[in-house]
Amino acid sequence: MNNKIDDVLELTREISLQDSEEDIDFSVTEFGDQLSSTNDIEFLWVARNASGSVKNASTNIKSFNDQKIANDVSENGSVRLGDEVFVYSKSYSWKVQDLRNFINWVVEKSNNNEELIDSLLAIMGATFVPKLKGLDAVSANRNLNPEMIRDTFLYKEWKEKADLKTININNKSAPNWTKDLKHSERKK
């Protein structure tokens, strides 16, 4: 795989020099040309794994650099480099201390159902989507068909591009059919 990593790195270098406003031209290297024209699933898989290794290494380098820059900016103040100004701020995220108590407060402090609904809409936001397993559990507890409840309140918004998902067969949660497949064998 090492020579594939070299091929990916060379292609990455060439692509990074292209104008990002245009479509990416993969044919700038022999490897990229081969990638564009092949239907060999195994070749694509090896190239994907090499690309993943390069991406992980690149992400690690960027994270390392970001931390070093953050340390410098923290000690010496904000700095402009090129078109970017680096500032230091310690990041945080909000967490609910006691979820049951919080929900109880929202419900009890509402004067009526309309105010409760308005409060919940304000807290959850317009893009809130319930946890599906939780919705299914509530449906089942109310002796309602979970699929019917999903279909009543939710809809699937299909993406234009297909997502490639992977299942690691070494995970305990991997479906049995994945473990039964041999290398290059397809599910029927």
Side-chain angles (χ1 to χ4, degrees):
M1 183 161 83
N2 277 348
N3 74 345
K4 288 293 180 236
I5 288 176
D6 291 340
D7 291 339
V8 168
L9 285 170
E10 180 186 7
L11 179 59
T12 302
R13 186 176 72 74
E14 292 299 323
I15 288 175
S16 69
L17 298 173
Q18 293 179 17
D19 183 11
S20 61
E21 307 254 336
E22 299 174 15
D23 286 338
I24 297 173
D25 179 13
F26 285 90
S27 66
V28 292
T29 68
E30 185 180 325
F31 173 73
D33 196 39
Q34 187 179 3
L35 212 89
S36 298
S37 61
T38 190
N39 287 326
D40 180 354
I41 193 79
E42 191 141 352
F43 175 80
L44 293 169
W45 170 67
V46 170
R48 179 183 183 277
N49 285 341
S51 299
S53 296
V54 169
K55 180 181 176 185
N56 288 342
S58 180
T59 299
N60 289 339
I61 292 168
K62 183 181 181 301
S63 295
F64 177 81
N65 289 334
D66 285 352
Q67 190 59 53
K68 298 273 283 192
I69 292 170
N71 291 341
D72 179 88
V73 170
S74 171
E75 291 176 21
N76 303 310
S78 300
V79 63
R80 177 178 172 171
L81 300 171
D83 290 339
E84 297 177 292
V85 175
F86 293 91
V87 295
Y88 177 83
S89 67
K90 195 120 174 138
S91 62
Y92 63 89
S93 60
W94 289 97
K95 304 287 183 187
V96 177
Q97 294 179 32
D98 183 342
L99 185 57
R100 181 173 288 279
N101 190 32
F102 173 70
I103 293 171
N104 192 42
W105 172 80
V106 172
V107 171
E108 284 187 356
K109 295 299 180 183
S110 298
N111 293 321
N112 54 47
N113 278 350
E114 195 62 34
E115 185 180 319
L116 175 59
I117 290 170
D118 288 342
S119 297
L120 291 173
L121 285 171
I123 291 167
M124 293 186 294
T127 59
F128 171 79
V129 177
K131 303 251 187 255
L132 296 179
K133 287 186 178 185
L135 181 62
D136 291 350
V138 170
S139 301
N141 285 343
R142 295 179 178 176
N143 293 321
L144 298 170
N145 180 332
E147 285 185 38
M148 181 190 73
I149 297 303
R150 280 190 187 192
D151 291 343
T152 300
F153 295 108
L154 307 175
Y155 67 94
K156 292 179 182 176
E157 187 173 83
W158 296 97
K159 297 177 182 178
E160 300 231 354
K161 252 186 181 178
D163 289 334
L164 179 65
K165 302 202 184 322
T166 60
I167 300 169
N168 185 331
I169 62 166
N170 296 316
N171 286 346
K172 291 178 184 175
S173 62
N176 286 336
W177 68 265
T178 62
K179 297 175 184 179
D180 294 340
L181 289 176
K182 305 292 182 249
H183 181 74
S184 294
E185 182 182 7
R186 294 184 182 267
K187 181 181 177 187
K188 294 170 177 77

